[in-house]
Amino acid sequence: MFGAGDVRVIDVHDPMIQQPGDALVRVVRACVCGSDLHPYHSMPPSTAGASMGHEFIGVVEETGVEVTSLRRGDFVIAPFAVSCGRCEFCLAGLQTSCLNGGFWNDARLGTGGGQAEAVRVPFADGTLVKVDGVDAGTDDARLASLLTLSDVYGTGWHAAKRGNVTRGSTVTVIGDGAVGLMAVLSAKQLGAERIVLMGRHQVRTNLGREYGATDVVAERGAEGVALVRDLTEGGSPIVIEAVGHLPAYLQAVGTVRPGGVISRVGAPQYEDAPVGFGSLFGHNITLTGGPAPVRAYIAHLLPTVLEATVDPGRVFDLTVDLDHAPQGYTAMDERTALKVMVTP
Ligand SMILES: [Zn+2]
Ligand SMILES: [Zn+2]
């Protein structure tokens, strides 16, 4: 990406093993994330550009001498964060706070983005998750669902876990993007009884109903808040905010029940937001959430994906090859695509 609205496909040097813990991964599927749209709207022009993409699955091509759990030919899921697997936060399952890791296209780690033919993966043992029995050449439907484990499914799951969704819960999910829909699916899997999905894009909210939403509220602002408060008899005990813009946060504050919890997983595009007597403090509301340590959730979520008892891969409604990645951004931006898969 060379600036707002300016995505190009260019040739770069092939990545190489640089550290003994590195692996080289040939990308089988990558995708465009809703969070890639934030720089797509705001990035200042840059001559160097930024390598894009933080969600990918692929096949290990080469490993450094210290890599023990992976070898050439292994199929792997790459979470959106690089993690060492050994520090106190990795061991606590909070890999997004790894003391040694970072992210893709990270200058400090020297990583590129996942919307590429191949990626150098630092701390390969701690970062990548190997999956046995996947045919990277043929298994299309399964690949789509596996790809969601690199971010959106794990992020939706994180939102529901942070919100303390349990059997019988009433949950409101704000946002009908891929993460919002994955939060609906996760809340359903965790036993939620009532799931209100706030979104106004009908194709998406219909998929949300299939994933478990019991009610859909298309209205926004005060009208949307009033409808949700009515549906949930005075406010939703758990609200998941899966957008990241201030109006969505205000929607969450408006719909949450006194004593309830707001779980945020949309990367906030704001710093100042109400937290005082008129909003959180006055009603003992818990604000939680953050970047999902998806690495910690993959082992738990993987079996249902492999058995196809859930089908998170349905969030992908447009596939482009790498050469047409810019069109993928356009489609996401214009909301003609829910989520875009990128093939080599
Ligand atoms: Zn993402
Ligand atoms: Zn770590």
Side-chain angles (χ1 to χ4, degrees), residues 266-329:
Q269 302 301 300
Y270 53 87
E271 286 295 339
D272 296 317
V275 295
F277 272 95
S279 52
L280 306 189
F281 185 85
H283 294 294
N284 281 277
I285 289 155
T286 300
L287 179 63
T288 185
V294 296
R295 179 66 163 75
Y297 301 134
I298 291 175
H300 179 77
L301 298 175
L302 190 58
T304 51
V305 166
L306 291 175
E307 291 154 17
T309 50
V310 292
D311 196 1
R314 291 180 64 198
V315 294
F316 293 105
D317 57 352
L318 178 66
T319 300
V320 296
D321 62 17
L322 203 49
D323 285 337
H324 293 87
Q327 283 90 323
Y329 279 80

Side-chain angles (χ1 to χ4, degrees), residues 50-225:
S51 172
M52 296 301 294
H54 56 259
E55 304 163 39
F56 62 97
I57 53 179
V59 174
V60 174
E61 288 288 315
E62 200 181 329
T63 53
V65 292
E66 282 178 12
V67 175
T68 57
S69 64
L70 301 164
R71 56 185 198 189
R72 186 182 165 86
D74 284 344
F75 183 90
V76 290
I77 300 170
F80 70 81
V82 173
S83 55
C84 75
R86 294 190 296 260
C87 74
E88 60 181 299
F89 298 112
C90 282
L91 294 176
L94 194 59
Q95 287 88 342
T96 41
S97 293
C98 175
L99 296 172
N100 305 302
F103 297 90
W104 306 110
N105 185 40
D106 187 323
R108 195 173 52 82
L109 290 173
T111 50
Q115 290 159 13
E117 291 174 313
V119 178
R120 172 186 154 254
V121 179
F123 304 108
D125 284 322
T127 301
L128 298 170
V129 179
K130 176 179 153 182
V131 185
D132 291 322
V134 177
D135 186 335
T138 59
D139 208 347
D140 264 359
R142 222 192 209 179
L143 291 180
S145 285
L146 289 166
L147 182 56
T148 65
L149 290 172
S150 72
D151 183 353
V152 290
Y153 189 12
T155 295
W157 183 262
H158 183 61
K161 292 297 281 184
R162 281 278 165 170
N164 262 326
V165 176
T166 53
R167 196 149 297 285
S169 291
T170 294
V171 186
T172 297
V173 176
I174 298 172
D176 59 11
V179 170
L181 298 183
M182 292 294 95
V184 168
L185 174 66
S186 299
K188 175 75 180 172
Q189 285 180 287
L190 288 164
E193 206 161 274
R194 192 95 193 251
I195 304 173
V196 182
L197 173 59
M198 298 191 79
R200 52 181 186 173
H201 195 299
Q202 211 183 342
V203 175
R204 300 177 183 193
T205 55
N206 285 348
L207 182 54
R209 284 187 194 275
E210 290 187 50
Y211 281 144
T214 51
D215 305 86
V216 169
V217 171
E219 288 76 3
R220 290 184 174 184
E223 203 185 343
V225 165

Side-chain angles (χ1 to χ4, degrees), residues 229 234-237 256-260 283-285:
R229 293 196 79 86
S236 188
V256 70
R257 175 185 288 267
H283 294 294
N284 281 277
I285 289 155

